[in-house]
Amino acid sequence: MRWQNFLEKLGYAVVVSESLSGEDAAMLIALHAYRSYSSIMAFHTQQPDRPIVLVLTGTDLYRDMAVHGEVLHSMEVADQLIVLQSSALDSIPAHLRHKARVIYQSVQLDTPDAVMSTSFLAIVIGHLREEKDPFCIARSLPLMPLNSQIKVLHLGMAMNKQMERTAKVYSETLERYQWVGEVSHTDTLKALSQSRLMVISSRMEGGAHVVSEAIALGVPVIASDIPGNRGLLGDDYLGYYPVGDELELAALLYRAETMPDFYSALKKQIDTRKDLVSPDREMQSIQGLMMQLLKD
């Protein structure tokens, strides 16, 4: 829908469907190399001279490419490969890298800036599933010094009963941890804007939109050290911890809470990334892509 929105603003007619329809289209934009494989192949067969744009996801690059041949085949057939953060370029096979470009997902802030919470609130945003390592922050809380006052607000729907049970147990047994489940996007942005920190603990990400939202709001991020986070936050960012390491996460959180210079350094690094997530930049990137591929 975000691609449809940008393209329609640029004057293009767009049809969105889960699989290739009978529409006569000048171009196919496919999201997800593995799931869109059959549509990519069908369009390529029916319209061999018309361009195909493939937007690669984290699961394409960091999981499926190694086990599903369809991913690589989709990438080879596509005329242009799109990734959502710069580190993803390193995961594209060398012989295909020449047709890859980064288009950062932008954030349109429709909610007014909110007053910062008086407590040191850390927020986790994302549905509860295994690849997100959603409870790393809950595991980290008992490891923090006793004088820590960090409170954790966890937003996101449990994707199975076990995740729901675990979230409820942590909410009941950890005084400073609260899981509230799924809330609206507007309420999510409001809660994020009121937080001192956002924690993203994923084991795998293509380029999480919530990180872009934190950047747009100027909220420092504590992030698992994975390519999907590095590509948005930068290799020199100070807020990384090893994936799944709750002890290191606890140390970083406490450092941010108790060392103003460290917190300010994180904030400064986040603020320098704001231009990457501006809607004008994404619009210009998509416009440039369309002009290149539809120039004839």
Side-chain angles (χ1 to χ4, degrees):
M1 294 303 178
R2 69 181 294 112
W3 277 80
Q4 181 185 35
N5 179 53
F6 278 115
L7 289 167
E8 288 181 345
K9 286 181 178 177
L10 289 169
Y12 296 97
V14 182
V15 174
V16 177
S17 62
E18 290 187 7
S19 59
L20 191 66
S21 65
E23 300 275 349
D24 181 32
M27 172 192 292
L28 173 67
I29 300 174
L31 310 181
H32 204 295
Y34 181 57
R35 294 178 187 170
S36 297
Y37 175 74
S38 60
S39 295
I40 291 169
M41 294 303 123
F43 188 85
H44 181 61
T45 299
Q46 296 168 17
Q47 306 288 352
D49 298 324
R50 297 184 182 181
I52 296 173
V53 175
L54 173 57
V55 183
L56 294 162
T57 66
T59 51
D60 284 330
L61 294 171
Y62 304 125
R63 185 184 70 192
D64 291 345
M65 187 165 57
V67 294
H68 295 294
E70 295 93 333
V71 173
L72 186 58
H73 196 188
S74 292
M75 293 167 68
E76 289 172 337
V77 167
D79 297 279
Q80 186 76 54
L81 304 174
I82 304 299
V83 294
L84 305 180
Q85 42 81 15
S86 58
S87 291
L89 295 171
D90 297 331
S91 297
I92 295 175
H95 72 287
L96 298 174
R97 215 166 286 164
H98 69 279
K99 57 181 179 180
R101 70 169 72 185
V102 182
I103 296 183
Y104 292 95
Q105 293 189 102
S106 63
V107 176
Q108 182 68 54
L109 296 177
D110 297 322
T111 55
D113 292 339
V115 178
M116 188 72 71
S117 172
T118 54
S119 62
F120 201 96
L121 179 66
I123 192 168
V124 181
I125 301 170
H127 294 325
L128 279 55
R129 55 181 186 264
E130 188 63 30
E131 58 263 37
K132 300 290 187 180
D133 194 12
F135 303 117
C136 192
I137 194 166
R139 301 194 306 269
S140 76
L141 284 176
L143 305 176
M144 300 179 73
L146 294 177
N147 66 334
S148 173
Q149 299 299 309
I150 286 180
K151 294 182 179 180
V152 174
L153 179 65
H154 199 158
L155 308 182
M157 179 174 61
M159 302 304 286
N160 57 54
K161 290 294 183 183
Q162 180 57 51
M163 285 288 182
E164 183 179 0
R165 285 193 292 268
T166 303
K168 288 180 177 179
V169 168
Y170 278 128
S171 288
E172 292 166 0
T173 57
L174 295 175
E175 183 181 352
R176 293 183 287 124
Y177 175 89
Q178 181 185 18
W179 173 63
V180 298
E182 187 175 22
V183 302
S184 71
H185 187 241
T186 297
D187 288 343
T188 298
L189 285 180
K190 183 177 180 181
L192 176 58
S193 70
Q194 293 174 333
S195 302
R196 299 293 182 92
L197 286 173
M198 189 191 80
V199 175
I200 181 162
S201 53
S202 303
R203 296 185 172 97
M204 176 179 63
E205 285 285 356
H209 195 246
V210 70
V211 175
S212 297
E213 289 172 337
I215 292 170
L217 288 166
V219 177
V221 178
I222 300 296
S224 53
D225 192 357
I226 59 173
N229 289 332
R230 280 186 170 268
L232 289 174
L233 296 167
D235 286 332
D236 62 345
Y237 188 65
L238 299 172
Y240 296 121
Y241 73 95
V243 177
D245 192 333
E246 57 265 27
L247 186 60
E248 286 297 321
L249 175 56
L252 263 182
L253 288 170
Y254 186 68
R255 188 179 176 194
E257 179 190 15
T258 60
M259 297 178 62
D261 288 349
F262 177 64
Y263 182 86
S264 295
L266 291 177
K267 181 76 165 64
K268 183 177 180 180
Q269 287 186 305
I270 287 292
D271 288 342
T272 62
R273 310 291 286 183
K274 284 187 178 182
D275 178 61
L276 289 181
V277 300
S278 73
D280 286 346
R281 182 188 179 113
E282 188 174 15
M283 176 75 84
Q284 290 167 8
S285 296
I286 292 174
Q287 184 176 31
L289 172 71
M290 300 301 286
M291 291 175 67
Q292 173 191 328
L293 293 178
L294 296 177
K295 58 183 175 228
D296 296 331

